[in-house]
Amino acid sequence: MSDDVRAPLDAAIAAVQRGARSWSHLTLEQRARLIERIRAAVVTCADEWAMTAARSKGLDETHPLFGEEWLSGPYAMLTALDGYLATLRALARGASPLDGVKTDAAAHGGLRAHVFPASRMDGLLLSGYTGEVWLRPGTTQAAARDAAGLGQRRPAEPATVGLVLGAGNITSIPVLDVLYELLAANRVSVLKVNPTQDSLVPVYERALAPLIEPGFLRIVHGGGDVGAYLTGNPAFDHIHITGSAATFDAIVWGTGAEATRRRKADDPKLTTPITAELGGVSPMIVVPGRWTDADLAYQASHIATMRLYNSGHNCIAGQVVVISRDWPQRDAFLAALRAAYAAAPQRPIWYPNGERRLQEAAEDYPDAEWSADRTRALIDVPGDGEATALETTEYFAPVLGVVELDGNGQEFLDAAVAHANDRLAGTLGANVLIDPDTQRALGAGFERAIAALRYGGIAVNAWTGIVFATPILSWGAFPGGTIQDVSSGIGVVHNTLLLDQVERSVMRGPFRPFPRSVGGRNRFSALPKPPWFVDSRTATPVAEGLTRWHMDHSIPRLVATLAQAMRS
């Protein structure tokens, strides 16, 4: 590496080393005011953030999926900042962030906190959705309350210096990771952005200027040589990466013969502590029941969204649909799924190596069904077919698979949970679709099945992507990853209540949208179709409007947004 490249990297490290000494002198109230300044800065550049992100992915403001960049960029950032502000203010007045939050026993034998909705407005904007953070078994209510706040319970402790290697697919990930490092661990950061997000660097620099000015953050960019120099630099006390398991292993163990030798000797190349979020193959378990034609169409659209959001370039994109071959409505459901998957708006395969991933799927499954000018594959694996590639390869592209198991009711659900746990790569997120009558009939057996899923994020009649976009919930792999076998990662992020001993987060949503959500055993929702659905007709104005509500709390604008949502 040349001196011209190395010098600014060394300067960035030196700046945050100085900043670390300043951070520990800030009171909780001063830190809250700093977050308020970041919030104001994000508001000023939110429009440019969304537009720059969309253009980097080959979209413009007229594309029907432009709204995705509002939701997964400034919206997620603003909701996280609001959550951290509430936590800092609670701690500053001597309270616990868990005060006022309902807690009870979950089916895994441990404590769960019902954290979402955190306000009446949350309940209005995400009508029908609730979220829980499950803590590891053995954590008592008193211990959870006393630990909530993590590093901010000890603000005067010396700060450390970390390296954050940002993701390249979702624009809020790098900045959310920086915030969690700062507040959960009292750790200032050098953020190295992924080259796919180089165009966002000026936006990040303005949005995070209140952190950059005092030396709590520096943002750098570059290729693999820059990453290698930084990860090998002894100045860092910790590294956090959002990316792939292959990149993680290369950092920890090296590559080729070196990696083989080091693994055999249990002698990692990296000695710096590391946490990571690395993705995986996410299941969508469809529990058989008696569904109407409208149910079939809506849930088919739901699954298409789980796969096609952001063109499938998501660590949490649903990849494997698990259904019962004994379900009388199996054929009708698959017909609805094929139609929804093919009809969703077209968009570019923009992420590096996306086209190659599609080609790999074509080679793995020559009988795959292709649509949207061969940019989407749907693979229906027969009962005796080979599903190994589908279940162990995170394609990170529009590749959707269907596998079938025997049974109905509890028998099927238990088999599907075991299949997801044992056959699918990773532990990041799992999705379960179940109608309210079937869920009621299963009773406690359903909750036991949810507890048995070894995933860090679980969505029931929702998509785990919304767990990510609801930062009061935790985000990360199920506990158990190690540097020897990292699976979907180590540790969590988001978690704006700064809870300790987190095991997973569970989001529950409505099986049916408005007006079919009214009456019976349905979970009520006022949303005809959520704005993140890829076939929502008003996705962009609603996504922008929800973001602007968090920006300025304008009631007239909110009313207009809700009116748009009713026409989705």
Side-chain angles (χ1 to χ4, degrees):
M1 177 182 288
S2 69
D3 290 342
D4 289 344
V5 176
R6 184 184 296 110
L9 301 178
D10 290 341
I13 294 170
V16 295
Q17 286 175 325
R18 293 190 297 270
R21 294 190 287 272
S22 300
W23 174 254
S24 60
H25 293 291
L26 295 186
T27 66
L28 289 171
E29 183 55 42
Q30 288 172 322
R31 293 176 185 192
R33 289 199 294 270
L34 181 66
I35 297 299
E36 288 178 330
R37 289 179 58 209
I38 298 170
R39 193 186 192 289
V42 171
V43 167
T44 64
C45 61
D47 289 81
E48 185 181 359
W49 185 333
M51 180 61 73
T52 304
R55 287 174 176 166
S56 73
K57 300 177 181 183
L59 308 180
D60 62 29
E61 62 270 27
T62 67
H63 196 280
L65 299 178
F66 177 79
E68 290 183 1
E69 299 311 317
W70 280 102
L71 289 179
S72 58
Y75 173 89
M77 181 64 167
L78 288 167
T79 55
L81 290 168
D82 287 343
Y84 286 131
L85 270 172
T87 291
L88 286 169
R89 286 171 175 154
L91 292 168
R93 64 176 182 267
S96 169
L98 267 179
D99 287 351
V101 175
K102 176 186 174 184
T103 58
D104 60 12
H108 72 325
L111 191 71
R112 65 176 171 179
H114 297 262
V115 301
F116 186 87
S119 67
R120 291 181 179 178
M121 191 55 69
D122 285 344
L124 175 64
L125 299 182
L126 280 181
S127 176
Y129 291 83
T130 58
E132 311 149 17
V133 178
W134 293 24
L135 305 182
R136 300 191 192 195
T139 305
T140 66
Q141 185 169 3
R145 184 188 183 282
D146 290 344
L150 295 178
Q152 298 316 294
R153 300 191 69 83
R154 305 173 300 277
E157 285 192 356
T160 56
V161 176
L163 169 66
V164 173
L165 299 175
N169 60 327
I170 294 293
T171 61
S172 62
I173 292 178
V175 289
L176 291 177
D177 291 350
V178 164
L179 283 176
Y180 191 74
E181 287 286 288
L182 185 65
L183 296 174
N186 281 323
R187 186 176 295 128
V188 301
S189 296
V190 171
L191 167 63
K192 191 263 181 200
V193 298
N194 187 289
T196 62
Q197 296 193 352
D198 280 353
S199 63
L200 269 296
V201 169
V203 177
Y204 290 155
E205 288 176 337
R206 287 196 295 279
L208 299 176
L211 293 182
I212 294 171
E213 291 163 2
F216 303 150
L217 173 69
R218 284 294 184 271
I219 301 174
V220 301
H221 57 92
D225 58 334
V226 171
Y229 178 73
L230 293 172
T231 55
N233 197 303
F236 294 110
D237 301 296
H238 182 271
I239 296 171
H240 178 78
I241 175 176
T242 299
S244 70
T247 301
F248 178 92
D249 287 342
I251 292 170
V252 174
W253 301 101
T255 58
E258 179 193 20
T260 301
R261 174 180 58 80
R262 286 186 175 278
R263 279 189 176 276
K264 186 175 181 179
D266 195 18
D267 177 30
K269 173 183 177 182
L270 182 75
T271 57
T272 305
I274 185 169
T275 53
E277 189 267 277
L278 305 172
V281 175
S282 294
M284 296 158 286
I285 298 172
V286 179
V287 183
R290 296 178 61 183
W291 294 12
T292 67
D293 289 345
D295 293 337
L296 293 169
Y298 180 79
Q299 296 301 344
S301 172
H302 200 174
I303 288 176
T305 295
M306 295 182 200
R307 177 69 267 183
L308 295 177
Y309 193 100
N310 197 32
S311 201
H313 308 313
N314 281 342
C315 59
I316 198 54
Q319 183 165 304
V320 176
V321 181
V322 184
I323 66 171
S324 169
R325 64 172 56 92
D326 299 323
W327 186 22
Q329 293 180 287
R330 167 195 171 278
D331 291 344
F333 169 75
L334 290 179
L337 179 59
R338 289 186 176 94
Y341 192 62
Q346 288 190 238
R347 62 176 299 168
I349 304 298
W350 65 270
Y351 202 77
N353 298 318
E355 297 284 357
R356 179 174 62 81
R357 291 292 197 171
L358 289 175
Q359 181 58 38
E360 289 175 1
E363 294 168 359
D364 292 335
Y365 297 97
D367 296 329
E369 302 173 32
W370 292 86
S371 58
D373 296 330
R374 287 190 67 85
T375 61
R376 297 174 196 160
L378 196 154
I379 301 161
D380 188 355
V381 180
D384 58 350
E386 178 54 61
T388 301
L390 179 67
E391 295 181 333
T392 60
T393 304
E394 183 188 6
Y395 285 107
F396 215 71
V399 177
L400 179 66
V402 178
V403 299
E404 300 178 5
L405 304 177
D406 294 329
N408 281 294
Q410 194 72 50
E411 176 191 15
F412 167 80
L413 180 56
D414 291 343
V417 168
H419 189 92
N421 286 341
D422 300 337
R423 298 283 296 274
L424 273 60
T427 65
L428 185 60
N431 311 275
V432 180
L433 303 178
I434 184 170
D435 67 87
D437 290 331
T438 301
Q439 183 173 341
R440 181 181 177 88
L442 295 181
F446 178 75
E447 289 300 316
R448 287 195 299 270
I450 295 301
L453 274 168
R454 296 193 297 270
Y455 287 84
I458 298 173
V460 178
N461 293 329
W463 172 39
T464 40
I466 309 309
V467 177
F468 169 89
T470 308
I472 198 169
L473 299 174
S474 61
W475 184 248
F478 192 79
T482 65
I483 62 169
Q484 290 80 12
D485 181 12
V486 71
S487 186
S488 286
I490 301 169
V492 301
V493 291
H494 300 187
N495 180 31
T496 59
L497 292 178
L498 300 177
L499 302 180
D500 196 14
Q501 299 298 313
V502 169
E503 182 187 82
R504 70 181 87 184
S505 283
V506 179
M507 175 165 273
R508 303 173 195 260
F511 179 75
R512 296 183 173 103
F514 184 83
R516 294 188 301 113
S517 62
V518 178
R521 299 189 180 101
N522 293 304
R523 172 182 282 239
F524 175 75
S525 174
L527 294 173
K529 182 167 285 190
W532 54 87
F533 271 44
V534 291
D535 61 346
S536 171
R537 290 176 296 184
T538 59
T540 295
V542 173
E544 180 180 348
L546 291 176
T547 307
R548 292 195 184 283
W549 161 255
H550 285 285
M551 292 164 63
D552 58 21
H553 293 163
S554 165
I555 295 297
R557 192 195 307 276
L558 177 61
V559 171
T561 297
L562 295 178
Q564 291 273 20
M566 298 305 291
R567 295 194 292 271
S568 62

